[in-house]
Amino acid sequence: MDDLKLTCVIIEDSILHSKELEKLITQHPNLNLKNTYRNGIEAKKNKANKNVDLIFLTVELPFINGFDLIETFKESPQIILVSSTPTHAFRAFDYTITDYLLKPLLPLRFHKAVKKALHNAQPTTNHKGEEHFFVKSNSRKVKINYMDIKWIEALGDYVKLVTEKSNHIVLSSMKDFEKKLPDSQFVRIHKSYIINLKRIEKFNNTMVEVEGKKITLSRSRRDNFMSAIGTS
């Protein structure tokens, strides 16, 4: 966790409070501040939820409040809500948020919230007997069964999980997501594809067919794939 860095943004209309947050963030060894936005319209225009790991979002924003802004996010990073009152905390349960902080911000409480975010960002360790894990998709936690996954596909700063029932877009790199998967069942056969070995229908030296989809087998990953096939 010491090496983990979360890129974050602030959405806060008060200059005083945004400066306070900026100071706390820049002093934290695991946080990297990307930008600060003064209201929801500015945040939407600049796609504040894209390519970041964490948003510090004030509830009482002008024009668009924090909750309404969250609902405009098709994909959402982790969110720590900030408010001048505890009265919005109950409503916050309707959303997938990491924590709820009250103004004025207390450094110890701030660090506790960041610790939660860092924990959530940690790759999931797969223990023997685990059959599922959770991902954040469309601002909601979604349960994914390993056996239901067909393949995982890279989409820029996101990955696309293709499963038996539906598809999910998740903010993650392929490298980080690969760590969530048991290597006895999943193997990366291309820079853009990880496949479920139990879903393979046919393969040769250049191609693997998974549930009717033909996926290129990279030359550099061929030996690793063949080894995985032998032990799957």
Side-chain angles (χ1 to χ4, degrees):
M1 189 178 293
D2 292 341
D3 297 329
L4 190 59
K5 273 271 192 182
L6 301 181
T7 298
C8 56
V9 297
I10 297 169
I11 306 176
E12 165 65 74
D13 62 312
S14 165
I15 294 177
L16 177 65
H17 287 125
S18 63
K19 292 295 182 185
E20 181 184 12
L21 255 177
E22 287 171 5
K23 183 178 178 180
L24 288 167
I25 290 170
T26 54
Q27 290 177 345
H28 198 289
N30 298 103
L31 297 179
N32 177 38
L33 181 60
K34 182 180 180 181
N35 217 328
T36 298
Y37 303 100
R38 298 299 179 206
N39 55 63
I41 293 176
E42 183 183 349
K44 278 186 65 178
K45 181 180 178 181
N46 291 279
K47 298 180 179 179
N49 61 312
K50 299 291 185 180
N51 303 323
V52 295
D53 304 305
L54 178 62
I55 295 178
F56 290 91
L57 172 62
T58 293
V59 176
E60 303 90 350
L61 291 172
F63 312 122
I64 304 174
N65 69 41
F67 292 118
D68 291 340
L69 184 61
I70 291 174
E71 292 179 359
T72 69
F73 296 160
K74 291 184 179 180
E75 294 90 28
S76 176
Q78 293 193 69
I79 293 173
I80 293 177
L81 284 176
V82 182
S83 176
S84 56
T85 172
T87 56
H88 300 296
F90 184 77
R91 186 181 176 188
F93 282 106
D94 293 332
Y95 300 83
T96 304
I97 67 163
T98 299
D99 209 339
Y100 188 96
L101 297 179
L102 288 175
K103 301 176 183 178
L105 298 179
L106 301 175
L108 285 177
R109 187 64 184 85
F110 171 83
H111 287 291
K112 184 178 179 181
V114 173
K115 188 175 181 180
K116 287 183 183 179
L118 289 166
H119 176 77
N120 291 343
Q122 283 287 99
T124 302
T125 301
N126 296 294
H127 302 289
K128 187 176 181 181
E130 280 192 352
E131 298 178 347
H132 65 266
F133 61 107
F134 289 87
V135 297
K136 182 181 280 189
S137 178
N138 292 325
S139 300
R140 294 291 183 269
K141 292 282 187 179
V142 181
K143 180 179 178 180
I144 304 292
N145 291 316
Y146 289 116
M147 66 178 184
D148 290 341
I149 299 173
K150 297 180 180 181
W151 67 84
I152 297 99
E153 182 177 350
L155 289 176
D157 294 305
Y158 297 80
V159 296
K160 178 181 179 182
L161 273 70
V162 178
T163 74
E164 186 75 27
K165 299 175 183 178
S166 57
N167 300 335
H168 303 281
I169 306 298
V170 179
L171 180 64
S172 175
S173 67
M174 286 288 277
K175 182 179 180 181
D176 286 341
F177 202 85
E178 192 174 6
K179 295 175 184 176
K180 297 177 183 287
L181 305 169
D183 54 17
S184 61
Q185 188 177 345
F186 295 88
V187 64
R188 192 168 182 179
I189 64 168
H190 187 276
K191 67 178 182 179
S192 299
Y193 287 94
I194 299 169
I195 65 168
N196 186 340
L197 293 168
K198 299 183 185 299
R199 296 278 183 169
I200 295 173
E201 294 178 336
K202 63 180 80 168
F203 67 93
N204 56 34
N205 285 334
T206 60
M207 180 273 297
V208 180
E209 187 168 332
V210 181
E211 300 278 335
K213 180 178 177 64
K214 295 179 179 180
I215 302 172
T216 299
L217 173 58
S218 296
R219 183 182 301 176
S220 61
R221 300 180 186 273
R222 188 179 300 154
D223 288 345
N224 188 43
F225 170 72
M226 293 301 180
S227 177
I229 284 291
T231 58
S232 65

